[in-house]
Structure formats: structure tokens, C-alpha cells
Amino acid sequence: MSYVAIDIGATNIRVAVGDYNGIKEKKVEKTDTIDGAVGVSAQIVRLIDSFGIEEPISIGIGSIGPINHAMGIITNTPNYPFNNIPITEPLKEQYKVPVTIVNDCTAAVLGEQMFGAGQGIENLVYVTISTGLGGGAIVDDNLLLGKDGNAVEVGHFTLDPESDIICGCGCRGHWEAFSSGKNIPAYAEKLLEKNDWRKGLLFDLSGGDPKKLKTENIFEAAKKGDKHALQIIHEIGLKNAIGFANIVNAYDPELITIGGSIALKNPDLILKPILENIEKHTINRSPEIMITPLGQDSVILGALAFAMRI
Ligand SMILES: [Zn+2]
């Protein structure tokens, strides 16, 4: 008998079995984006069955948001092609065990507290900088959920209401629109419009077409010292510093850990500008801010922690 933990991402889906000692076995696939709103739950059932376990004790899910925690659905995520995706009901019907879905970062912050850098800490926030940007918070040892389960949608903090950068959710100047993997290229293109960038690595990597810039090109060029790429990273860093400062002002955490593929692949380029600029925007005492030691497993470890709490 094992607990089942699931991490539903816009790009990858991870399914694992585990217990209080952590993950015993894990499988990763690209998230189904072709079989409509029911494709993801069918994919999850197939993955769970592939472990060959008799029956799960319970199933915990950390998912891209926004979600409706009570209805067990993913509602209208900007980074996935379908809306109102049923998750918990198909799994309850299939396995007849308790199933719960929480926002992925809500799961991750619980995972950080149970398995990672947050052990013994009662005030902590987890931020993911990945395809999208999101957060989860524990305040006074209480995990924040909110009325629908979206209490810490920090990626949709408005940083600049007059910006011409539009978020995937449709709003203007949201944090995620500047700093997440999916949105960095469009922001970079805007920044490059103001500069003559027709020389250097970034120009070469994109073939001279700003519309062909990829997020990984920008970080790669920055690591090699390309000045235009470094300028873009600096601007993103300034936006991140404001976002993190808003978190510090709102939740007064002792620790913030950062995960997500953009941060995990580029820890120094992400962390340094935040640490250098955050205090320009905070009133509260600064917390420790670090890359999560749990790497790619923070959400799924959180989903596991949730499965054991049901
Ligand atoms: Zn938004």
C-alpha cells in the first residue's frame, strides 16, 4: 500500500508512489494536450496503473492553476489549451480512495516544510519560476488555501498597470508576463526594440529575428557575457525583486525557496538581482531567499505530503 502523488504541469506530468520517507518510484511524461479536457485524468490513471500497486491509500495532486479545490478541477489556466479540466472525480471513481487537488505551489511549500529547507519553519513561501510563475505560503504554520484554492497567485500581482506587456490571463503588466519562461521572449523583444542589438551572441542565436528568441537563448547568451542578454536578465531581475518584495510585505516569511525550471537552470542569474534589489521595495525584515534543495521534485513531494494529510 502506497500513497500516490501527482504533479500536473503545463509541460510535464509526474506521478509517484511514496510514503513518509519520500518518493519510492516516479514516472514523468509530457502532459497530454491533444485529448481534450478528459485527457489528463486518463493519462494519470494509465500512469498510476503502470506502477502495478494494488490500490493507493490516497492520492494527492499539485497542479497548474487556477484550480477549484472543492470541485477538483483545473479551471482556466493561461498555460494549457483546455478549461474546466476534471481531475479528482475521475480518479475517485476509478480507485474509490480520497483524492485532493491543490495548486502546485501550495503543494510545493508543504513539500518544502516536510522534506526540504523549511523543516521546523512556520513562515515560509515557495515561488516557482517556470512556464508560469506562482507561489505557495505557510503563515504561522497554516497553509494558505483561499476560497477556491488560489490564495497565493503571486504571478498575477500587477507590477505595472501601464505596461504594454499583457499576461496570458489577459491582464496588463502582471509579474508572470515579464518573468516566466513562456513570457520572457515577448518581454525581451520589447526591450530589444529600444536598443541596437545587431551584433553579438543573442543576435546570432535568434538568427537576427527578435520573434525567434527563446528563453533558453537569452540565459545562454547572458552566461557567455552577451551585453544585450545581460541587460534583459537585469530588467527581469528588477521585476522579480518587486514581486519578491510584495511577497515579503504580504506574508512576512522567514524563508522563501525558489523552484521551477527557469530558476533551477539559472540559479545565479535569477537569485542575484532579487537579493540585490529587494530591499528597495520592502518594509518587512528580509527573509532568507534560496533555490529549493528539492529541485524538480518539490511539487510532487508536496503532493505526497498532501496525500498523507487527507
Ligand atoms: Zn496574469
Side-chain angles (χ1 to χ4, degrees):
M1 296 274 276
S2 290
Y3 297 95
V4 169
I6 299 161
D7 167 10
I8 303 173
T11 309
N12 291 313
I13 192 158
R14 298 178 170 81
V15 177
V17 291
D19 57 24
Y20 286 91
N21 296 314
I23 291 165
K24 283 192 238 166
E25 196 183 349
K26 179 177 68 171
K27 298 190 176 182
V28 184
E29 281 186 2
K30 293 281 171 221
T31 308
D32 183 299
T33 56
I34 51 175
D35 295 323
V38 295
V40 175
S41 58
Q43 183 179 25
I44 291 169
V45 168
R46 179 172 53 72
L47 282 163
I48 292 174
D49 289 349
S50 74
F51 285 107
I53 55 172
E54 279 176 26
E55 174 180 279
I57 300 169
S58 58
I59 301 173
I61 305 161
S63 172
I64 43 172
I67 60 162
N68 185 301
H69 176 68
M71 292 171 70
I73 63 172
I74 305 168
T75 51
N76 56 337
T77 178
N79 301 314
Y80 192 75
F82 308 111
N83 290 332
N84 298 322
I85 304 157
I87 302 293
T88 58
E89 279 310 313
L91 297 177
K92 281 181 190 166
E93 272 172 35
Q94 182 77 20
Y95 298 106
K96 314 278 190 275
V97 297
V99 182
T100 193
I101 186 167
V102 292
N103 181 294
D104 48 9
C105 294
T106 304
V109 75
L110 191 65
E112 196 73 75
Q113 195 188 41
M114 184 174 272
F115 295 106
Q119 292 176 56
I121 294 177
E122 294 188 347
N123 290 285
L124 66 153
V125 174
Y126 173 91
V127 174
T128 186
I129 305 177
S130 184
T131 311
L133 196 155
I138 294 174
V139 178
D140 299 332
D141 214 21
N142 289 310
L143 183 71
L144 302 188
L145 283 175
K147 66 188 186 311
D148 292 330
N150 305 308
V152 191
E153 279 284 8
V154 296
H156 303 275
F157 278 166
T158 299
L159 301 193
D160 181 358
E162 299 188 348
S163 172
D164 50 4
I165 298 287
I166 310 292
C167 185
C169 74
C171 297
R172 194 172 286 274
H174 278 182
W175 181 10
E176 174 174 299
F178 300 105
S179 302
S180 80
K182 190 176 173 187
N183 295 318
I184 284 172
Y187 183 40
E189 190 187 332
K190 290 275 182 205
L191 293 170
L192 288 170
E193 278 172 8
K194 297 173 194 154
N195 289 300
D196 179 6
W197 65 299
R198 284 170 296 176
K199 265 189 194 148
L201 185 56
L202 197 59
F203 189 82
D204 296 343
L205 287 170
S206 65
D209 181 355
K211 298 215 176 310
K212 292 197 174 141
L213 271 178
K214 292 187 178 135
T215 297
E216 55 263 38
N217 297 153
I218 297 163
F219 282 99
E220 182 189 343
K223 282 174 189 167
K224 290 179 179 163
D226 180 271
K227 71 174 185 179
H228 296 297
L230 284 167
Q231 183 61 29
I232 292 166
I233 298 295
H234 174 70
E235 294 292 336
I236 292 168
L238 294 181
K239 290 287 190 288
N240 284 341
I242 298 172
F244 277 82
N246 289 346
I247 287 172
V248 170
N249 291 338
Y251 304 113
D252 196 13
E254 190 174 327
L255 169 71
I256 303 176
T257 60
I258 311 173
S261 57
I262 303 292
L264 294 172
K265 285 181 197 158
N266 310 287
D268 295 336
L269 290 174
I270 291 292
L271 202 50
K272 197 160 164 259
I274 296 169
L275 297 176
E276 284 176 355
N277 295 289
I278 190 168
E279 287 185 3
K280 293 175 195 162
H281 309 285
T282 48
I283 184 164
N284 289 337
R285 184 168 54 81
S286 286
E288 185 177 3
I289 303 175
M290 62 190 282
I291 301 293
T292 177
L294 301 178
Q296 295 279 12
D297 284 338
S298 47
V299 174
I300 202 155
L301 282 166
L304 178 62
F306 256 98
M308 293 186 290
R309 257 165 79 118
I310 302 175

